[in-house]
């Protein structure tokens, strides 16, 4: 299964990202996903965690209503009370799992969205059989790609009334002051294979249609201006004026004007901006599959020519300047290594033989070994 976004990454960034919703019909072809997959994914979730929820009549049910704590050979464990779950879902409840990791089919979609947007991705899942809304109309504080995989779901989408909300600005706390309009911007029904992009801040209400339905919600995250400003203010502690004491407005105005100017100069520095972005992405850990057979066996041979290569990082930092931020450290790259990584970044899934053919590096045997080393270092996968 893969996603055909129908446009380039640049076109999406310029025309849609954080600007307006986008509906892509039949974006997922040859869907290999059924209720057995859904059940297996949900059974592997940490059901005692707050990220696993059962929503009913617009409210999140207490765990005790559908989760049992018991001793498993002396170790505390948790299990779903299945009759309760079945009963609630027959009555219209929605089962929700957030922060899904290490599920191959979900991860494949997350990787596609991550590579397309260059952003971190958090995966969630929604399963329902009734006709009731999972939540009342709300906005998300992250951009979301909804991927419909089973059944149909109606989406009502309204234009934002509070633009670009941050994680602390949830719609439930603003809905009275900033209510959405009565007329929806979009009123659509998603069919299996459809993908819907909803920018953060856009009101939406997904409505089941009385039939079994399941969709993934892939939230994307990037650094915000507020993150840069917060970082800059923290760095300003190294500047003397920021450590001065305050006493009274009349005497402190000149001091604050001086501090303001120094802060402006600091945040307008390209070097400081680069340092912030490097530090931000040094903390990012994108998911990649474990590959013991190819990369852990001492007797393993070369990677096959048809090996499909991807960068583990959805948005690698520094390739245009011959370095890479990787797992919290800055790695200086030789020109031929930077060339290979840039090639893979531009064409995720490129075959090894294509990389070898396209590279200007003459020693193809050494280059093949370098690619395998990059895989073993978890830079490529």
């Amino acid at each position: 299964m893969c996603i055909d976004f129908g446009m380039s990454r640049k076109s999406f960034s310029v025309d849609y990202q954080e600007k307006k919703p986008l509906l892509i019909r039949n974006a997922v072809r040859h869907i290999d996903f059924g209720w057995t997959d859904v059940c297996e994914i949900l059974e592997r979730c940490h059901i005692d965690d707050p990220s696993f929820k059962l929503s009913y009549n617009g409210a999140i049910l207490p765990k005790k209503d559908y989760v049992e704590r018991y001793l498993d050979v002396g170790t505390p464990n948790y299990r779903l009370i299945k009759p309760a779950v079945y009963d609630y879902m027959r009555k219209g409840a929605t089962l929700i799992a957030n922060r899904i990791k290490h599920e191959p089919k979900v991860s494949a979609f997350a990787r596609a969205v991550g590579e397309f947007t260059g952003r971190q991705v958090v995966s969630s899942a929604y399963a329902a059989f009734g006709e009731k809304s999972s939540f009342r109309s709300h906005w998300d504080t992250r951009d979301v790609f909804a991927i419909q995989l089973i059944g149909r779901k109606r989406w009502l989408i309204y234009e934002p009334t509070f633009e670009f909300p941050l994680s602390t600005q949830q719609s439930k706390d603003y809905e009275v002051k900033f209510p959405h309009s009565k007329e929806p911007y979009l009123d659509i029904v998603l069919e299996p294979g459809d993908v819907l992009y909803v920018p953060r801040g856009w009101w939406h209400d997904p409505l089941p249609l009385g039939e079994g339905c399941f969709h993934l919600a892939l939230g994307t995250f990037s650094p915000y201006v507020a993150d840069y400003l917060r970082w800059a203010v923290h760095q300003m502690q190294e500047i003397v004026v920021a450590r001065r004491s305050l006493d009274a407005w009349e005497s402190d105005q000149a001091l604050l004007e001086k501090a303001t100017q120094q802060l402006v100069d600091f945040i307008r520095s390209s070097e400081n901006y680069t340092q912030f972005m490097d530090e931000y992405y040094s903390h990012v850990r994108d998911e990649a599959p474990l590959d013991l057979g190819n990369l852990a066996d001492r007797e393993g041979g070369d990677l096959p020519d048809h090996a499909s290569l991807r960068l583990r990082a959805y948005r690698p930092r520094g390739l245009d300047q011959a370095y890479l931020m990787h797992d919290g450290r800055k790695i200086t790259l030789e020109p031929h290594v930077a060339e290979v990584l840039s090639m893979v970044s531009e064409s995720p899934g490129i075959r090894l033989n294509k990389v070898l053919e396209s590279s200007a590096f003459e020693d193809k045997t050494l280059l093949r070994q370098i690619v395998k080393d990059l895989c073993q270092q978890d830079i490529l996968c």
Side-chain angles (χ1 to χ4, degrees), residues 113-177:
V113 169
E115 290 172 343
F116 184 64
T117 62
R119 294 182 170 190
Q120 279 184 281
V121 179
V122 173
S123 303
S124 302
Y126 294 77
F129 292 87
E131 298 178 343
K132 297 181 179 180
S133 175
S134 304
F135 301 100
R136 60 181 182 272
S137 190
H138 64 285
W139 70 54
D140 289 323
T141 58
R142 58 197 179 277
D143 289 13
V144 170
F145 287 80
I147 304 175
Q148 192 70 29
L149 293 174
I150 300 175
R152 301 175 305 150
K153 202 163 197 177
R154 180 186 180 194
W155 285 70
L156 299 174
I157 300 176
Y158 305 85
E159 294 187 74
T161 52
F162 185 85
E163 293 185 296
F164 309 118
L166 300 175
S167 59
T168 56
Q169 297 166 322
Q170 302 293 324
S171 57
K172 61 184 176 63
D173 301 319
Y174 290 80
E175 59 187 359
V176 174
K177 189 175 181 180

Side-chain angles (χ1 to χ4, degrees), residues 39 55 75 95 127 137 161 198 200 240 243 254 277 309 320 330:
C39 294
S55 174
T75 301
L95 195 58
S137 190
T161 52
V198 182
R200 62 188 169 113
V240 173
R243 304 199 299 268
M277 293 294 279
L309 301 175
D320 57 338
K330 186 175 183 177

